[in-house]
Amino acid sequence: ETGVTQTPRHLVMGMTNKKSLKCEQHLGHNAMYWYKQSAKKPLELMFVYSLEERVENNSVPSRFSPECPNSSHLFLHLHTLQPEDSALYLCASSQDRQGANVLTFGAGSRLTVL
Amino acid sequence: GQQVMQIPQYQHVQEGEDFTTYCNSSTTLSNIQWYKQRPGGHPVFLIQLVKSGEVKKQKRLTFQFGEAKKNSSLHITATQTTDVGTYFCAGPVNSSASKIIFGSGTRLSIRP
């Protein structure tokens, strides 16, 4: 247990489904991240929230919609995904300050889009 | 945009041999971090380097940060089967501490 919990661990969905990934951190961190990991692009930054404000949206398609209701929780809402969106989605948190922004990752949510 | 590149992509060594992975950034980094991801696992933080020319050691692992703060290396002496995994370097984009981008990783496999 890393202090960052992701659910579900595995998810299979059709292209017309709507689902959500959840991330919760118990470390008192103030920044949370979504990364996508696939064979083509090992660790691709998607979104960053710092103090519950989105500070980065790395040109991610609108079929991925993040939500950060408080500094401990982060969601990734999924709708009308494509098969190429199948990947491991990793959540991470950090204490966001200059020069000491070390990431703690969750175990990931393995997504398969049929 | 800013990129962080890593070589080699794969390395297969005999147990007991040394291993090195290299990381290069297209721009100067305020700091560089290294992570290890075991097969089927998630990235785990190993170390952070901040100063130009800094060298840090963790048992058989030696980490270096280049003088220009644009490159870094990780060297493992006398590899063991527990060293298997993918090693990533990572650094903040420009002055944004929040935006951390990763290199492509080096996957290390070991022949017992």
Side-chain angles (χ1 to χ4, degrees):
Chain A
E1 182 59 50
T2 68
V4 179
T5 304
Q6 288 187 244
T7 55
R9 293 292 308 277
H10 300 273
L11 178 63
V12 179
M13 59 187 289
M15 288 190 284
T16 58
N17 291 159
K18 290 185 180 181
K19 298 286 185 182
S20 295
L21 306 181
K22 179 183 176 182
C23 178
E24 183 175 1
Q25 59 98 0
H26 315 277
L27 301 169
H29 289 165
N30 57 13
M32 297 189 77
Y33 306 72
W34 281 116
Y35 282 87
K36 175 184 178 182
Q37 187 171 43
S38 63
K40 291 185 178 181
K41 292 186 179 181
L43 272 167
E44 187 179 2
L45 179 63
M46 299 177 73
F47 301 105
V48 182
Y49 278 83
S50 180
L51 297 172
E52 300 153 45
E53 277 194 43
R54 191 190 308 183
V55 297
E56 185 63 36
N57 177 348
N58 209 26
S59 302
V60 179
S62 60
R63 56 185 184 269
F64 295 92
S65 175
E67 179 190 1
C68 188
N70 56 62
S71 60
S72 298
H73 294 86
L74 183 66
F75 295 88
L76 188 61
H77 303 300
L78 316 169
H79 62 98
T80 59
L81 295 191
Q82 304 297 313
E84 60 264 30
D85 296 322
S86 299
L88 180 67
Y89 289 85
L90 289 160
C91 173
S93 69
S94 73
Q95 195 61 31
D96 186 7
R97 59 179 186 270
Q98 284 285 352
N101 209 8
V102 172
L103 300 178
T104 300
F105 283 88
S109 294
R110 173 72 61 184
L111 173 66
T112 302
V113 182
L114 301 177
Chain B
Q2 182 176 348
Q3 292 185 345
V4 178
M5 294 150 286
Q6 243 181 294
I7 56 169
Q9 188 175 2
Y10 303 98
Q11 187 84 55
H12 188 58
V13 302
Q14 181 75 42
E15 186 176 14
E17 291 182 340
D18 292 356
F19 159 77
T20 304
T21 173
Y22 301 91
C23 180
N24 288 284
S25 170
S26 56
T27 61
T28 300
L29 297 169
S30 59
N31 66 80
I32 195 157
Q33 303 166 8
W34 285 91
Y35 294 78
K36 176 184 178 181
Q37 185 173 18
R38 294 181 185 275
H42 56 274
V44 175
F45 172 75
L46 293 177
I47 207 161
Q48 177 173 271
L49 304 170
V50 178
K51 299 178 182 177
S52 170
E54 188 171 13
V55 178
K56 286 188 176 181
K57 292 190 176 184
Q58 289 180 349
K59 297 182 180 178
R60 294 176 294 103
L61 278 60
T62 301
F63 304 85
Q64 290 188 313
F65 200 10
E67 294 290 340
K69 302 184 76 173
K70 295 180 70 175
N71 57 67
S72 181
S73 66
L74 158 59
H75 180 81
I76 302 178
T77 303
T79 55
Q80 301 175 359
T81 54
T82 53
D83 296 325
V84 164
T86 302
Y87 293 85
F88 294 96
C89 62
V93 173
N94 299 323
S95 60
S96 171
S98 303
K99 186 176 180 180
I100 299 174
I101 60 173
F102 281 73
S104 52
T106 296
R107 183 182 298 177
L108 173 63
S109 59
I110 297 174
R111 297 188 296 273

